Amino acid sequence: MDNRMFCFQCEQTAGCAGCTGKAGVCGKTTEVAELQDQLTGALVGLSRAVDNAPDTNEGTWRLMIEGLFTTVTNVNFNEKTIRDLIDRVHAEKARLVPNCYSCTSRCGRNDDYDMHLLWSAQEDVRSLKSLILFGVRGMAAYAYHAMVLGYTDDAVNRFFAKALFAVGEDWGMVELLPIVMEVGEKNLQCMALLDKANTETYGTPTPVTVPLTVEKGPFIVITGHDLYDLKLLLEQTAGKGVNIYTHGEMLPAHGYPELKKYPHLKGNFGTAWQNQQKEFADIPAPVLFTTNCLMPPRASYADRVFTTAVVSYPEITHIGEDKDFTPVIEKALALGGYNEDKPFTGINGGGTVMTGFGHGAVLSVAEQVIDAVKAGAIKHFFLVGGCDGARPGRNYYTEFVKKTPADTVVLTLACGKYRFNDLDLGTIGGLPRLMDVGQCNDAYGAVKIALALAEAFGCGVNDLPLSMVLSWYEQKAVCILLTLLHLGIKNIRLGPTLPAFVSPNVLNYLVENFNIAPITTPEEDLKVLLKH
């Protein structure tokens, strides 16, 4: 195998162009990158089989969703588990079209797709296909979380196959562009499905103040996005003297009634995911990764890391489908935790953070918000959210939030909020000026809030005093952006850099039709946005 790995699906890709050589910025090796391409090519082959087979079933869609989710940045670094997935995809294709699968004729229906054809395609075709592929990878994460709670949508499932099929076809911009926009449409359906799954399972989130202090005694840190895994961990640790602390995108779990009812769900540990190698180094507790945001564990704490679901790393203990977290619990009890309460702070020195301002909570006080706007108390809304990362320029978002005027409201979601969510911005109209809507998975909630405000004021979303300032890192940000474009939302500011996989012509299309613009400085962007 050569060392010509090529990957440009995340924001921190080398040189803002693409990771090549022996390892990517995320830590995956050339071998893993090549296997992820093989898995994607096999999934394209499976989509071709789905297109011609009548007997697809729940297992087909689950496999397609798991396969796509596995290729999201910082999810799976394990050659063995990816090879196993490739074998499962091939076996499913053989089941669906046994005669076609054994045929040796090259008709385009019996082959896996060669991903090198995509990476070497004409730049506009490559750009559009990348938007489709990366978009459905992100969407697969949302579909997965809904699926484990028993919620599925046949239209969403079938679109995964449609999108993968398009990636493998020799199509041009005319055929591909509508499918790019359809990613946004179907992702909206998928996010609505996940919102329904979460709220019907765990209740409607309510605002809550979450401490950053870790109490003395054994504890477990759980990170990622999967609320179902957290629920199981809470059940299995009940009465065992082990406290649970969320990390990263798991923070919004504290707002759900069916989760926060557990008294040993104590608080939140750490800041953004990219600080994990430093923050996990010395804690006397295990860490459970439930979804993406895994960085290669350092030797100082690798023996305390556990993975589950689609997350995998070589030589790290994996909790399988039985979801028996006994090894994690035993590790917590053996390590013992801290001897006394240990206070931690956020990046800006705050000792608590708030969460739980989902669409249900915000819209329950919609009249209060509307009255504050009509009275002039609230002049503008900012949605400052998205993924976080380590690239220089991320401090833009902190400075932006700090500089927002006192008569404005800041809504935030996803892990980018860890740059500023411990700031005390005060209140406005009886509400906190800074409100955490939730995970990146909860972007649907922000959409619902915007649409409800537009309806209340009898205008379009683009006519609201609302500005979106987004950061991106990986593929879930791609599908969210496409959803916003599907809804016709314009004037989005995007940073800290523009995606490397967007060609100049495709970028011009987005600028001309949606007025997407890169971030500049907080001062200049605020000056422009507040005029809207």
Side-chain angles (χ1 to χ4, degrees):
M1 181 174 291
D2 61 35
N3 291 320
R4 295 178 297 168
M5 177 181 74
F6 178 74
C7 180
F8 61 176
Q9 71 174 0
C10 85
E11 185 268 334
Q12 297 187 121
T13 190
C16 296
C19 289
T20 59
K22 295 183 178 180
V25 172
C26 68
K28 70 181 176 185
T29 64
T30 295
E31 291 77 13
V32 168
E34 180 63 28
L35 284 170
Q36 289 185 350
D37 273 358
Q38 289 179 27
L39 174 58
T40 304
L43 290 169
V44 172
L46 179 59
S47 75
R48 292 167 171 170
V50 166
D51 192 53
N52 291 275
D55 56 343
T56 55
N57 57 34
E58 182 180 325
T60 309
W61 305 125
R62 184 182 183 94
L63 183 58
M64 194 172 287
I65 289 167
E66 285 187 7
L68 285 167
F69 193 3
T70 293
T71 59
V72 169
T73 303
N74 292 91
V75 171
N76 194 310
F77 298 80
N78 195 328
E79 293 180 42
K80 181 181 183 303
T81 57
I82 300 173
R83 291 184 193 279
D84 289 345
L85 256 177
I86 293 170
D87 290 343
R88 288 170 55 199
V89 171
H90 286 158
E92 179 64 7
K93 181 178 178 182
R95 184 190 73 82
L96 291 174
V97 284
N99 294 329
C100 180
Y101 192 79
S102 61
C103 176
T104 58
S105 173
R106 295 185 61 84
C107 65
R109 299 291 181 184
N110 60 337
D111 295 329
D112 289 351
Y113 178 66
D114 181 358
M115 291 293 288
H116 293 96
L117 295 175
L118 172 53
W119 308 139
S120 61
Q122 189 272 337
E123 67 173 359
D124 294 331
V125 170
R126 181 179 65 180
S127 181
L128 292 175
K129 284 190 174 184
S130 295
L131 280 167
I132 293 168
L133 176 60
F134 301 159
V136 294
R137 283 177 174 176
M139 191 170 89
Y142 303 145
Y144 179 90
H145 295 307
M147 180 177 64
V148 297
L149 295 177
Y151 290 73
T152 59
D153 184 320
D154 189 62
V156 169
N157 290 341
R158 293 196 174 275
F159 181 72
F160 285 121
K162 178 180 179 178
L164 285 166
F165 186 91
V167 168
E169 292 300 288
D170 187 19
W171 291 350
M173 292 186 69
V174 173
E175 296 89 354
L176 293 171
L177 190 56
I179 297 177
V180 171
M181 301 310 297
E182 193 176 356
V183 173
E185 176 192 356
K186 291 301 191 294
N187 184 59
L188 182 63
Q189 289 180 234
C190 189
M191 289 194 301
L193 179 71
L194 178 57
D195 179 78
K196 179 180 180 182
N198 283 338
T199 54
E200 291 188 354
T201 303
Y202 307 115
T204 299
T206 57
V208 60
T209 298
V210 182
L212 303 183
T213 294
V214 176
E215 297 181 13
K216 67 178 181 180
F219 68 99
I220 296 169
V221 174
I222 181 169
T223 188
H225 306 72
D226 203 299
L227 301 179
Y228 179 64
D229 286 331
L230 172 59
K231 178 69 156 54
L232 294 178
L233 183 64
L234 289 167
E235 290 174 349
Q236 293 179 36
T237 50
K240 294 185 178 178
V242 177
N243 291 329
I244 307 299
Y245 292 85
T246 56
H247 172 268
E249 288 272 60
M250 201 66 83
L251 167 65
H254 292 272
Y256 287 95
E258 289 301 308
L259 296 174
K260 69 179 181 180
K261 72 180 184 181
Y262 289 90
H264 59 299
L265 178 60
K266 291 291 187 177
N268 192 72
F269 172 81
T271 54
W273 66 270
Q274 77 275 359
N275 297 323
Q276 65 187 257
Q277 291 177 328
K278 177 179 66 176
E279 294 177 344
F280 292 165
D282 299 316
I283 60 171
V287 181
L288 175 63
F289 282 85
T290 66
T291 56
N292 55 313
C293 300
L294 170 69
M295 296 177 72
R298 291 180 175 170
S300 61
Y301 65 90
D303 65 326
R304 294 183 275 112
V305 172
F306 296 81
T307 61
T308 192
V310 297
V311 191
S312 187
Y313 196 89
E315 300 181 5
I316 295 297
T317 302
H318 186 79
I319 307 300
E321 291 185 4
D322 62 354
K323 296 294 182 180
D324 181 357
F325 294 120
T326 299
V328 190
I329 298 168
E330 290 177 344
K331 177 66 75 171
L333 291 169
L335 291 169
Y338 293 110
N339 294 325
E340 57 185 18
D341 292 358
K342 190 170 182 63
F344 291 92
T345 64
I347 288 177
N348 302 287
T352 62
V353 293
M354 289 195 72
T355 191
F357 293 94
H359 64 87
V362 175
L363 296 182
S364 70
V365 293
E367 289 187 10
Q368 185 177 339
V369 174
I370 293 166
D371 288 344
V373 173
K374 290 179 177 178
I378 297 177
K379 296 289 181 61
H380 205 91
F381 296 88
F382 293 100
L383 174 62
V384 184
C387 305
D388 201 11
R391 184 186 295 281
R394 296 279 179 178
N395 60 322
Y396 164 94
Y397 298 93
T398 307
E399 294 306 310
F400 185 96
V401 170
K402 285 182 177 179
K403 294 179 185 298
T404 54
D407 56 3
T408 63
V409 170
V410 178
L411 301 173
T412 187
L413 53 80
C415 59
K417 63 176 169 275
Y418 278 97
R419 295 278 172 172
F420 50 80
N421 69 336
D422 63 321
L423 291 171
D424 183 1
L425 298 185
T427 60
I428 183 171
L431 298 169
R433 279 193 58 227
L434 177 61
M435 292 186 274
D436 176 17
V437 177
Q439 299 178 339
C440 61
N441 301 9
D442 298 312
Y444 177 74
V447 169
K448 286 206 69 169
I449 292 169
L451 294 176
L453 288 173
E455 182 179 357
F457 289 108
C459 65
V461 173
N462 292 312
D463 299 316
L464 287 170
L466 168 68
S467 300
M468 297 191 180
V469 183
L470 307 179
S471 62
W472 78 282
Y473 176 77
E474 41 87 309
Q475 297 74 66
K476 284 181 281 185
V478 175
C479 63
I480 290 171
L481 177 62
L482 293 177
T483 292
L484 296 175
L485 301 186
H486 160 70
L487 292 168
I489 295 174
K490 299 183 178 182
N491 303 308
I492 296 169
R493 294 297 188 271
L494 188 64
T497 63
L498 294 178
F501 51 81
V502 174
S503 68
N505 285 336
V506 172
L507 178 60
N508 286 339
Y509 173 86
L510 297 177
V511 171
E512 290 173 4
N513 287 274
F514 301 99
N515 198 29
I516 287 180
I519 59 173
T520 59
T521 66
E523 295 82 2
E524 288 300 313
D525 288 343
L526 277 167
K527 187 184 302 182
V528 172
L529 296 173
L530 285 170
K531 291 179 181 177
H532 173 62

